C-alpha cells in the first residue's frame, strides 16, 4: 500500500486499512484522494478484490464523502453495496465482497485561517508654511557645530526615531512578503485541488461512458430472450449509471464549469457536447468557436428553417425522437437526418462503388439489407422506388436507430460525435482511424480524434460532424439564434 502526502486546508481524515487488526495500516489525508490498485491512486491497495479505481474520497457540501467510481468490485457497508456515504464523523466500508476494510474517521477540524495584520502607517501631512522648520531641524546634519545645542538635540532625537521606524517597517515589509508568499502558496494549493477534482470528474465521466458501452452490449445479448436475471442486471447497471451522473454533476457544480458569466450560446455548445457523449472538461480549445462558425453558416442559409418546417409538417420529429429514445440514445440524432437529406425521404445520393444511397437516412444497399430494409429493383437508378424500404421513412428511421446504436456501443465507444463521423464515412478512412485508437471511452472519443488525427480526417467528415452539432445547438433554442420557431424536440421536455 502507499498513500499521498498531506496538504493543509481541509479537516484531516484518519484512514485505517486492513482485513484484520493484525495487518491494519493508518494513513492521514487532508485532500481528496482515490483508492484502488492503480499506480496513480493516492491510496494504493494491492489486493485482488480491489478494483483499479475503486473509490474516491471527496469534500463536498461541508463534509467528506466516499463514493464508488463505478468499480466492478463495489463499495460495501455491511452487506449492502452503496454508491456513496458521508463521513460524519466516521464510516466503515469494505472494498469488494472479500476485500479489505477501510475505516475513515474525521480526526480534526480545519485549521483556522490566520490573516496577517499590519498596522497602517499614516503618511505625514506637510504644510508649506513650516518648510523652513523641517529643513532646519530634520534635514540638516545633527552634528553641525554651527547649530545650537537645542537644535542638535532635536536633530539627534529625530535620527533615532528614523532608525526605529526603519527597523519597524523592515519587519512590516518582511511580514508582508511572507503573507504574499502564503497567498501564492494557497492559490497554488487551490489550483492543485481544482486539478485533482477535474481529474476525478473525468474519471467518473468516462466510467459512465464505459457503462453505456457495457449496457448496450448486454442489451444486445439478452434482446428477445426471457432472462429475468439479465434484465435485472441491466437495470442495476442503469441505476449505477444514474448515480455516477449525479456525482459528475456535483463536480461540475463545484468546478463552476457552467459559469454564470458564460454566454447562453456557449452554454448550449457545452450542453450538446455532453448530450452526444463528450466530456465538457476535456473539450479542446477552439471547439466552441468552431461550432459558432457553423451556426453562422446555418443562419446564412434557409435550409435549416425549411427542413425543420418539413419535419414538423410531416410528423417526423415525434417518430424519429421516439425511435432513438427506444434505443436509449439522444433524440438529437434527429439532426443527422437533417444533414443527410433535409428530411427528404425520396432523395437519392450520387453513385459510389458501394451503390447509390437512398432515403432520408441515405442507406447504401448493403447496410440497408443488414438492418432489415428491402432493396427495390431500381437500386441502380437515382430516382424514387416505391418497392424500396429506404424510401419508407418510418422503416428507415427504425433501421437507422439500430445502426447508430451498434456504432455507438462498438467502434464509437459511446461517443455520439464519433458515431456521426463513422456514419458519414464508416466504410472508408474514418473507421480505420477510429479503430486504431484504444478501445475505451477515455482514449477513443471525438476530442482525441481531433487532437491526434485532425490532418487525417476528411474535410467532408469534419464538416458533417460540425454541421450536425451546430444544428443541435440551434435546435435547443432557435429563437436565440434568430429563427422564428421553437425547439423542434421541445415536446420531449414535458415527458
Amino acid at each position: 500500500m502507499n498513500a499521498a502526502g498531506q496538504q493543509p486546508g481541509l479537516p484531516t481524515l484518519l484512514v485505517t486499512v486492513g482485513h484484520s487488526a493484525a495487518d491494519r495500516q493508518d494513513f492521514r489525508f487532508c485532500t481528496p484522494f482515490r483508492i484502488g490498485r492503480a499506480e496513480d491512486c493516492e491510496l494504493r491497495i494491492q489486493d485482488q478484490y480491489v478494483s483499479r479505481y475503486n473509490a474516491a474520497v471527496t469534500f463536498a457540501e461541508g463534509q467528506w464523502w466516499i463514493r464508488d467510481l463505478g468499480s466492478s468490485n463495489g463499495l460495501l457497508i455491511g452487506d449492502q453495496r452503496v454508491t456513496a456515504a458521508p463521513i460524519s464523523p466516521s464510516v466503515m466500508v469494505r472494498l469488494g465482497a472479500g476485500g479489505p476494510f477501510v475505516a475513515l474517521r474525521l480526526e480534526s477540524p480545519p485549521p483556522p485561517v490566520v490573516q496577517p495584520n499590519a498596522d497602517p502607517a499614516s503618511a505625514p501631512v506637510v504644510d508649506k508654511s513650516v518648510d523652513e522648520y523641517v529643513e532646519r531641524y530634520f534635514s540638516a546634519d545633527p552634528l553641525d557645530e554651527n547649530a545650537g545645542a537645542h537644535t542638535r538635540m532635536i536633530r539627534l532625537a529625530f535620527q533615532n526615531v528614523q532608525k526605529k521606524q526603519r527597523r519597524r517597517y523592515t519587519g512590516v515589509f518582511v511580514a508582508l512578503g511572507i503573507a504574499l508568499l502564503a497567498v501564492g502558496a494557497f492559490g497554488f494549493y487551490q489550483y492543485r485541488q481544482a486539478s485533482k477534482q477535474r481529474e476525478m470528474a473525468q474519471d467518473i465521466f468516462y466510467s459512465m461512458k464505459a457503462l453505456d458501452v457495457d449496457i448496450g452490449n448486454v442489451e444486445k445479448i439478452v434482446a428477445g430472450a426471457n432472462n429475468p436475471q439479465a434484465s435485472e442486471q441491466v437495470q442495476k447497471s442503469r441505476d449505477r449509471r444514474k448515480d455516477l451522473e449525479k456525482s459528475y454533476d456535483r463536480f461540475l457544480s463545484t468546478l463552476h464549469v457552467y459559469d454564470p458569466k458564460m454566454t447562453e450560446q456557449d452554454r448550449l455548445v457545452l450542453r450538446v457536447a455532453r448530450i452526444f457523449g463528450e466530456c465538457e472538461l476535456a473539450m479542446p480549445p477552439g471547439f466552441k468557436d468552431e461550432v459558432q462558425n457553423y451556426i453562422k453558416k446555418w443562419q446564412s442559409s434557409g435550409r435549416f428553417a425549411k427542413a425543420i418546417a418539413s419535419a414538423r409538417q410531416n410528423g417526423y420529429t415525434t417518430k424519429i425522437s421516439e425511435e432513438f429514445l427506444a434505443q436509449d440514445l439522444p433524440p438529437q440524432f434527429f439532426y443527422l437526418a437533417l444533414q443527410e437529406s433535409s428530411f427528404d425521404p425520396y432523395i437519392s445520393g450520387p453513385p459510389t462503388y458501394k451503390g447509390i444511397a437512398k432515403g432520408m437516412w441515405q442507406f447504401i444497399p448493403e447496410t440497408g439489407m443488414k438492418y432489415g430494409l428491402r432493396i427495390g429493383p431500381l437500386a441502380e437508378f437515382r430516382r424514387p422506388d416505391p418497392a424500396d424500404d429506404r424510401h419508407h421513412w418510418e422503416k428507415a428511421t427504425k433501421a437507422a436507430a439500430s445502426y447508430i446504436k451498434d456504432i455507438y456501443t462498438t467502434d464509437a465507444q459511446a461517443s455520439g460525435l464519433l458515431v456521426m463521423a463513422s456514419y458519414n464515412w464508416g466504410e472508408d478512412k474514418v473507421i480505420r482511424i477510429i479503430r486504431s485508437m484504444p478501445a475505451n471511452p477515455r482514449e477513443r472519443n471525438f476530442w482525441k480524434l481531433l487532437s491526434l488525427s485532425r490532418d487525417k480526417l476528411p474535410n467532408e467528415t469534419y464538416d458533417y460532424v460540425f454541421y450536425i452539432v451546430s444544428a443541435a445547438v440551434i435546435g435547443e433554442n432557435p429563437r436565440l439564434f434568430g429563427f422564428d420557431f421553437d425547439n423542434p424536440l421541445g415536446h420531449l421536455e414535458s415527458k
Side-chain angles (χ1 to χ4, degrees):
M1 303 181 188
N2 66 8
Q6 299 181 31
Q7 294 182 22
L10 297 176
T12 302
L13 281 179
L14 174 63
V15 183
T16 302
V17 181
H19 287 273
S20 63
D23 65 351
R24 60 175 283 177
Q25 289 182 273
D26 291 337
F27 304 94
R28 284 178 173 79
F29 290 87
C30 52
T31 62
F33 59 96
R34 293 169 297 178
I35 306 173
R37 286 188 291 107
E39 290 185 3
D40 57 344
C41 285
E42 290 77 10
L43 180 52
R44 187 182 182 198
I45 303 176
Q46 303 268 17
D47 189 291
Q48 61 178 331
Y49 293 102
V50 177
S51 298
R52 293 187 71 251
Y53 297 98
N54 209 126
V57 178
T58 58
F59 192 83
E61 301 169 359
Q63 65 179 339
W64 286 104
W65 291 77
I66 183 167
R67 308 179 192 279
D68 185 21
L69 288 178
S71 61
S72 57
N73 289 306
L75 189 68
L76 290 84
I77 296 181
D79 295 328
Q80 297 296 317
R81 184 163 180 165
V82 298
T83 56
I87 305 168
S88 55
S90 64
V91 70
M92 171 77 80
V93 299
R94 192 169 194 178
L95 305 178
F101 291 96
V102 179
L104 303 102
R105 178 168 61 85
L106 192 64
E107 189 173 61
S108 65
V113 178
V114 179
Q115 296 292 345
N117 184 20
D119 292 334
S122 300
V125 178
V126 179
D127 190 330
K128 289 185 178 180
S129 64
V130 296
D131 282 351
E132 59 186 72
Y133 291 99
V134 171
E135 177 65 26
R136 178 178 178 181
Y137 288 113
F138 305 126
S139 301
D141 182 0
L143 301 180
D144 184 1
E145 294 180 355
N146 295 323
H150 178 71
T151 300
R152 288 201 302 271
M153 185 65 67
I154 291 175
R155 290 176 180 176
L156 285 169
F158 178 66
Q159 190 177 63
N160 288 333
V161 169
Q162 282 186 310
K163 289 180 180 178
K164 289 180 180 179
Q165 285 183 329
R166 278 197 293 270
R167 287 195 295 268
R168 177 187 176 191
Y169 287 111
T170 297
V172 170
F173 289 134
V174 169
L176 182 60
I178 292 172
L180 289 173
L181 285 174
V183 169
F186 182 67
F188 178 71
Y189 165 76
Q190 287 185 312
Y191 171 77
R192 287 288 303 276
Q193 288 295 98
S195 296
K196 285 187 177 181
Q197 287 185 326
R198 290 178 73 89
E199 289 173 9
M200 293 173 70
Q202 289 187 53
D203 286 343
I204 293 173
F205 181 87
Y206 290 117
S207 294
M208 278 167 34
K209 303 318 292 177
L211 206 52
D212 286 341
V213 174
D214 291 341
I215 291 171
N217 288 321
V218 172
E219 284 175 334
K220 283 188 214 173
I221 295 171
V222 302
N226 186 15
N227 189 332
Q229 289 182 332
S231 299
E232 183 180 352
Q233 185 60 44
V234 169
Q235 187 56 50
K236 285 183 179 178
S237 295
R238 284 178 176 164
D239 291 341
R240 185 156 45 131
R241 202 252 187 228
K242 289 179 182 177
D243 290 336
L244 286 173
E245 187 158 22
K246 289 178 182 176
S247 296
Y248 178 69
D249 286 335
R250 280 194 289 268
F251 271 107
L252 292 188
S253 177
T254 301
L255 293 166
H256 305 293
V257 173
Y258 288 85
D259 191 323
K261 297 179 182 178
M262 182 185 296
T263 68
E264 183 60 20
Q265 294 190 7
D266 283 349
R267 189 184 304 275
L268 289 178
V269 174
L270 280 180
R271 170 177 159 76
V272 167
R274 164 83 172 274
I275 287 171
F276 281 126
E278 299 294 343
C279 181
E280 301 103 312
L281 295 169
M283 179 179 286
F287 181 81
K288 286 189 289 189
D289 291 339
E290 187 72 315
V291 172
Q292 294 289 356
N293 289 335
Y294 281 80
I295 287 173
K296 291 175 183 176
K297 293 181 181 181
W298 284 116
Q299 290 171 324
S300 65
S301 164
R303 186 162 76 96
F304 184 86
K306 183 178 179 181
I308 296 299
S310 174
R312 280 179 156 160
Q313 182 179 352
N314 292 288
Y316 299 155
T317 55
T318 301
K319 178 64 178 176
I320 291 174
S321 58
E322 285 176 352
E323 287 295 343
F324 283 108
L325 287 171
Q327 293 285 355
D328 201 24
L329 290 170
Q332 285 80 0
F333 277 115
F334 164 85
Y335 296 100
L336 189 147
L338 164 64
Q339 180 61 17
E340 284 286 351
S341 65
S342 294
F343 302 111
D344 182 352
Y346 304 110
I347 195 171
S348 294
T352 71
Y353 76 99
K354 288 282 188 178
I356 295 174
K358 291 192 175 187
M360 182 184 294
W361 297 94
Q362 287 291 280
F363 275 111
I364 59 173
E366 178 184 340
T367 309
M369 286 189 291
K370 181 179 177 181
Y371 286 89
L373 298 179
R374 181 182 56 184
I375 307 303
L378 302 180
E380 296 181 5
F381 300 93
R382 295 187 67 190
R383 61 175 183 262
D385 183 351
D388 197 315
D389 285 343
R390 292 177 293 172
H391 292 304
H392 294 266
W393 72 270
E394 289 184 275
K395 292 180 181 180
T397 296
K398 192 175 187 68
S402 296
Y403 178 36
I404 286 172
K405 177 73 170 190
D406 284 345
I407 302 173
Y408 187 83
T409 55
T410 54
D411 290 324
Q413 290 290 295
S415 163
L417 275 61
L418 282 190
V419 168
M420 299 170 197
S422 300
Y423 196 100
N424 173 251
W425 209 328
E427 314 298 336
D428 201 351
K429 297 178 183 178
V430 173
I431 202 68
R432 290 201 299 270
I433 298 172
I434 291 173
R435 286 176 180 171
S436 70
M437 302 164 73
N440 66 76
R442 180 184 287 275
E443 300 298 329
R444 186 185 290 189
N445 55 64
F446 192 70
W447 302 155
K448 289 289 185 182
L449 182 66
L450 285 182
S451 64
L452 299 175
S453 303
R454 171 62 188 96
D455 58 328
K456 300 177 185 176
L457 192 65
N459 288 333
E460 176 188 333
T461 302
Y462 183 87
D463 289 341
Y464 183 88
V465 173
F466 276 95
Y467 269 119
I468 296 172
V469 172
S470 56
V473 171
I474 295 172
E476 292 296 295
N477 187 355
R479 295 186 187 279
L480 179 66
F481 298 94
F483 295 90
D484 62 351
F485 51 87
D486 295 320
N487 184 348
L489 302 179
H491 61 281
L492 299 174
E493 296 176 2
S494 60
K495 293 186 178 181

